C-alpha cells in the first residue's frame, strides 16, 4: 500500500507547485516562470485543483482517515517554504518551485512512513 502513497505524493507536490507558479507573482528575472504562466487560464487552475482534490481524496480512500494528514502537511510545508523563498527573492521562480516541491515530497514521505 505504501507504494501507492509514494506514487501519489509527487502528483500532489507537482500540482501544488504548478498552482503556486500560476497564482504567485513571478520574479522579474525568471524567464522560465513567466513562460510557464503566459498561456494559463481559469481552466488550467480548475484542472490543477481537481488533480489536487482527487489525489488527497485517494489518500483517505486507499489508506484511512488519518492519511489526510499526509497531503495536509505537504500543502502547509510547501506554502510556508515557498512563501519564505518568494519573500526573500522578490517573486516566484522555477528554483523556488523546485525548493517547495522537494520540501513537500520529503514531508509527504515522512508522514507516510509514520501513518
Amino acid at each position: 500500500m505504501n507504494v501507492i502513497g509514494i506514487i501519489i505524493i509527487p502528483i500532489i507536490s507537482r500540482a501544488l507547485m504548478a498552482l503556486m507558479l500560476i497564482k504567485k507573482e513571478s520574479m522579474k528575472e525568471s524567464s522560465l516562470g513567466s513562460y510557464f504562466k503566459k498561456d494559463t487560464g481559469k481552466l488550467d487552475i480548475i484542472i490543477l485543483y481537481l488533480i489536487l482534490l482527487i489525489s488527497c481524496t485517494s489518500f483517505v480512500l486507499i489508506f484511512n482517515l488519518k492519511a489526510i494528514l499526509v497531503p495536509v502537511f505537504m500543502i502547509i510545508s510547501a506554502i510556508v517554504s515557498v512563501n519564505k523563498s518568494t519573500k526573500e527573492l522578490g517573486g516566484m521562480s522555477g528554483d523556488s518551485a523546485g525548493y517547495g516541491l522537494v520540501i513537500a515530497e520529503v514531508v509527504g514521505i515522512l508522514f507516510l512512513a509514520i501513518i
Side-chain angles (χ1 to χ4, degrees), residues 9 12 55-57 59-60 63-77 104 107-115:
I9 285 172
I12 293 172
S55 301
C56 293
T57 305
F59 252 98
V60 174
F63 296 103
N64 55 27
L65 193 57
K66 286 191 313 188
I68 195 67
L69 292 175
V70 173
V72 165
F73 281 110
M74 283 178 67
I75 291 169
I76 290 170
S77 66
V107 168
I109 290 172
L110 217 96
F111 275 91
L112 181 63
I114 292 171
I115 65 162

Side-chain angles (χ1 to χ4, degrees), residues 14 24 30 60 71:
R14 279 155 177 78
K24 291 196 161 290
S30 176
V60 174

Side-chain angles (χ1 to χ4, degrees), residues 1-99:
M1 283 292 195
N2 283 350
V3 173
I4 297 170
I6 291 173
I7 293 170
I8 296 173
I9 285 172
I11 296 170
I12 293 172
S13 64
R14 279 155 177 78
L16 188 59
M17 286 308 116
L19 272 171
M20 289 187 159
L21 272 170
I22 292 171
K23 292 266 200 189
K24 291 196 161 290
E25 186 177 330
S26 296
M27 276 176 59
K28 291 176 183 26
E29 298 87 22
S30 176
S31 59
L32 201 57
S34 301
Y35 178 76
F36 175 77
K37 254 177 125 166
K38 85 176 171 184
D39 289 329
T40 57
K42 289 189 184 236
L43 181 63
D44 300 308
I45 294 171
I46 291 170
I47 290 170
L48 287 169
Y49 275 124
L50 281 174
I51 291 170
L52 203 56
L53 181 68
I54 291 168
S55 301
C56 293
T57 305
S58 65
F59 252 98
V60 174
L61 295 176
I62 292 170
F63 296 103
N64 55 27
L65 193 57
K66 286 191 313 188
I68 195 67
L69 292 175
V70 173
V72 165
F73 281 110
M74 283 178 67
I75 291 169
I76 290 170
S77 66
I79 289 172
V80 168
S81 61
V82 168
N83 281 345
K84 185 175 184 225
S85 67
T86 302
K87 185 185 278 186
E88 288 178 15
L89 297 173
M92 185 78 175
S93 70
D95 290 336
S96 55
Y99 170 66

